[in-house]
Amino acid sequence: MSSRVKISTSIFSKAYLAVAWKSRNELTDYERRGFAQFFYLTICGHIESLLSSIIKVRINSIRYMVRWEAVPPMQFNDGGQIHHCELKPVIDSVLQIVSLVAKDTENAPLNKLFELYSKVFSQSLKEITGKDLYEDLDALASLRNLFAHGRDLFIEFDGPFPDKATLDNNPLQKPAQRLFKAGIIKDFNITGRNYDKFQALFYSDEVLLYFYRSVQKIEDVLIKSIGFMPEKSMTYMPPLVDLEVEE
């Protein structure tokens, strides 16, 4: 019989983030942007780790807290003849499905965890968090994919440069829409003359803290949503700390 000793790797990233945050203003512009990308990846990894933990704890509850071996046979009437049918074939299928979900959860990225959460629990993740926080999380997933995979940061123009730019099919579109709703982005009048300022905004303290605080709220909602008491003590993830912010 195998055993596993584990610790979430997001714990190490969060520990470093709290220290690096204090010295961020000592960095050059490129270094500062690299730090901001690490920042996004860390808070995204934190919520991935939390979602994964909540799903896996529920899977373990299904596996080990239900006395599957004690489920009685069902009575089946076949043309007036009563049969007592053992439910083992059905139970084996249920546990096989649970095992497949557990396997998917191990390495699932954030968007896949959204789907798995909604399959395992009676409420979808969007219903649990509410529309606004869910859209913040979806926007953060777009930033995570951009930075984690080293994709180009780009702006596309409707016509020849420097005409008005479009965010269609741009990974910054969802985050920008959330920031516009929050009043951080004032308009979408992006041109060749100001697109660099628009991109730089995503590396600013104001935007980093906007998404950080959203993740803190999501974290709180998810922990409070755990409805099965034994699972509350089994789901443990060190929370995001409150970052020191200069007034």
Side-chain angles (χ1 to χ4, degrees):
M1 182 177 178
S2 64
S3 59
R4 177 181 290 188
V5 178
K6 62 182 182 178
I7 182 170
S8 171
T9 54
S10 75
I11 293 174
F12 305 130
S13 296
K14 287 180 292 189
Y16 176 70
L17 177 64
V19 174
W21 174 260
K22 297 175 184 177
S23 57
R24 69 196 182 285
N25 293 325
E26 300 171 15
L27 303 174
T28 65
D29 181 59
Y30 272 36
E31 291 168 346
R32 181 74 167 72
R33 294 190 183 209
F35 165 74
Q37 292 178 182
F38 168 78
F39 186 104
Y40 286 122
L41 296 180
T42 298
I43 61 175
C44 193
H46 170 74
I47 210 68
E48 284 184 28
S49 187
L50 179 59
L51 279 171
S52 175
S53 176
I54 291 172
I55 294 169
K56 287 189 285 188
V57 166
R58 173 53 55 91
I59 287 170
N60 285 337
S61 294
I62 295 170
R63 281 171 164 168
Y64 306 119
M65 292 189 184
V66 178
R67 296 182 61 194
W68 296 106
E69 72 285 353
V71 175
M74 70 166 287
Q75 291 187 353
F76 177 68
N77 189 329
D78 182 19
Q81 185 175 359
I82 302 299
H83 299 269
H84 294 273
C85 302
E86 294 290 337
L87 287 172
K88 186 178 185 303
V90 177
I91 291 169
D92 286 345
S93 293
V94 170
L95 294 178
Q96 175 69 7
I97 293 168
V98 168
S99 293
L100 290 173
V101 173
K103 185 176 180 181
D104 285 346
T105 303
E106 282 293 333
N107 300 306
L110 191 55
N111 283 322
K112 180 65 175 179
L113 286 170
F114 294 173
E115 297 176 21
L116 292 171
Y117 183 96
S118 298
K119 288 178 180 178
V120 170
F121 295 95
S122 58
Q123 287 184 288
S124 69
L125 186 60
K126 188 174 184 178
E127 290 172 321
I128 291 292
T129 62
K131 181 175 180 290
D132 278 343
L133 285 178
Y134 182 84
E135 289 183 358
D136 281 346
L137 191 53
D138 193 32
L140 182 60
S142 293
L143 291 173
R144 182 261 177 208
N145 291 339
L146 172 65
F147 298 135
H149 299 294
R151 299 298 187 243
D152 290 344
L153 190 65
F154 68 90
I155 292 291
E156 199 160 4
F157 295 86
D158 288 329
F161 183 85
D163 283 358
K164 190 174 186 299
T166 176
L167 291 179
D168 292 346
N169 302 314
N170 192 309
L172 295 180
Q173 184 177 43
K174 287 182 179 179
Q177 288 169 341
R178 297 306 300 156
L179 297 173
F180 177 76
K181 185 171 183 180
I184 297 173
I185 288 179
K186 305 305 180 185
D187 59 58
F188 289 112
N189 184 29
I190 308 165
T191 70
R193 298 176 183 86
N194 66 10
Y195 77 92
D196 53 336
K197 292 181 181 178
F198 172 79
Q199 289 179 330
L201 188 65
F202 292 88
Y203 296 96
S204 68
D205 282 2
E206 186 177 17
V207 172
L208 294 178
L209 290 170
Y210 172 83
F211 283 108
Y212 194 87
R213 287 163 182 159
S214 289
V215 169
Q216 285 182 307
K217 292 173 186 174
I218 293 165
E219 171 187 71
D220 185 57
V221 168
L222 286 173
I223 295 296
K224 288 178 178 176
S225 74
I226 299 172
F228 185 42
M229 187 178 292
E231 292 177 356
K232 286 186 179 292
S233 61
M234 297 176 188
T235 306
Y236 176 71
M237 179 64 54
L240 290 175
V241 300
D242 289 327
L243 296 177
E244 296 179 10
V245 181
E246 298 83 0
E247 298 297 337

